[in-house]
Amino acid sequence: AKKIQMKIDGVKDLTFEELSNSTSNFSDSALIGQGGYGKVYRGILADGTGAAVKRTQQGSLQGSEEFFTEIELLSRLHHRNLVSLVGYCDEDNEQMLVYEYMPNGNLRDHLSAQAKEALSFPMRLRIALGSSRGILYLHTEADPPIYHRDIKSSNILLDSKFVAKVADFGLSRLAPLPAMEGVAPGHVSTVVKGTPVSITFYILASTSCA
């Protein structure tokens, strides 16, 4: 039985069977990534659309929180430098998010010593600018503003034309709204989130991290 009921324009409510079929029953050959949240599979939806299916690890409370956070945030964020949410699945003990497929993978792999071909300087600059535009949109144009809190090269995905798209909003949180007359300012988290090696020194040294 489905756990959540929501109608979101442009986001498909997919069944477990549909996603299982699209990934050849979540075969190892379709696996393109994994982490503490679960695994990501490449899939082909019924309409022929390529997709990345993020299957949350069963029984993971953290995974459940990230699942609902990403649906809430991604469903209302639209920018060419942010990865797009295509659909979701919530059946029994299965929670999955379905994103547009990024054929050129993530930036970390292209920057590693094992990369097949080094990125040219103009391409690196274009990727840096695209990533910055996506983050700027989150901070200044999203309503309310959003802090990603886990920006790193593996969360910068590249489409077929190497356009950079910021991904993985599992650790995001809404920024506090400015204080208004008679209204207390929103809560700001003081707990550092994200990947420690990716968090800049001045944030770690700060007494407050949103």
Side-chain angles (χ1 to χ4, degrees):
K2 287 183 175 293
K3 296 180 182 178
I4 61 175
Q5 295 291 331
M6 58 173 66
K7 290 291 185 181
I8 305 173
D9 291 340
V11 180
K12 300 176 181 178
D13 182 0
L14 300 163
T15 66
F16 175 82
E17 183 178 5
E18 286 177 302
L19 295 182
S20 179
N21 290 337
S22 75
T23 59
S24 300
N25 196 27
F26 303 102
S27 68
D28 289 341
S29 62
L31 185 66
I32 56 176
Q34 63 184 74
Y37 56 81
K39 298 180 178 180
V40 180
Y41 299 86
R42 180 181 181 181
I44 304 295
L45 302 182
D47 61 2
T49 302
V53 181
K54 183 177 179 181
R55 189 182 189 186
T56 306
Q57 187 173 5
Q58 294 187 16
S60 171
L61 179 61
Q62 181 183 20
S64 178
E65 292 174 351
E66 291 180 354
F67 177 75
F68 288 109
T69 297
E70 293 205 50
I71 289 180
E72 178 190 9
L73 296 180
L74 287 173
S75 65
R76 52 192 174 86
L77 298 176
H78 303 284
H79 190 277
R80 75 184 302 264
N81 296 116
L82 297 180
V83 69
S84 296
L85 181 68
V86 176
Y88 69 91
C89 172
D90 185 39
E91 290 186 12
D92 298 324
N93 294 320
E94 293 286 351
Q95 294 179 331
M96 288 176 273
L97 292 169
V98 184
Y99 301 96
E100 58 178 325
Y101 178 65
M102 297 286 103
N104 280 312
N106 65 65
L107 178 59
R108 182 184 63 184
D109 291 343
H110 288 278
L111 295 177
S112 73
Q114 287 73 40
K116 294 181 179 179
E117 184 176 351
L119 296 173
S120 66
F121 178 76
M123 187 173 292
R124 290 173 186 243
L125 181 59
R126 188 164 61 249
I127 291 171
L129 289 173
S131 303
S132 299
R133 291 188 184 104
I135 297 168
L136 181 65
Y137 170 85
L138 292 176
H139 288 181
T140 64
E141 296 183 47
D143 184 19
I146 292 168
Y147 299 138
H148 188 292
R149 302 206 299 178
D150 198 25
I151 292 295
K152 54 187 178 182
S153 58
S154 60
N155 283 339
I156 305 299
L157 304 186
L158 305 170
D159 72 5
S160 60
K161 297 182 179 179
F162 282 88
V163 172
K165 294 179 183 270
V166 180
D168 200 346
F169 289 77
L171 294 173
S172 300
R173 69 172 287 116
L174 300 180
L177 294 173
M180 299 175 62
E181 184 176 356
V183 179
H187 170 71
V188 177
S189 171
T190 57
V191 178
V192 175
K193 296 286 187 178
T195 307
V197 72
S198 303
I199 302 174
T200 53
F201 171 78
Y202 69 87
I203 291 181
L204 285 173
S206 173
T207 58
S208 176
C209 177

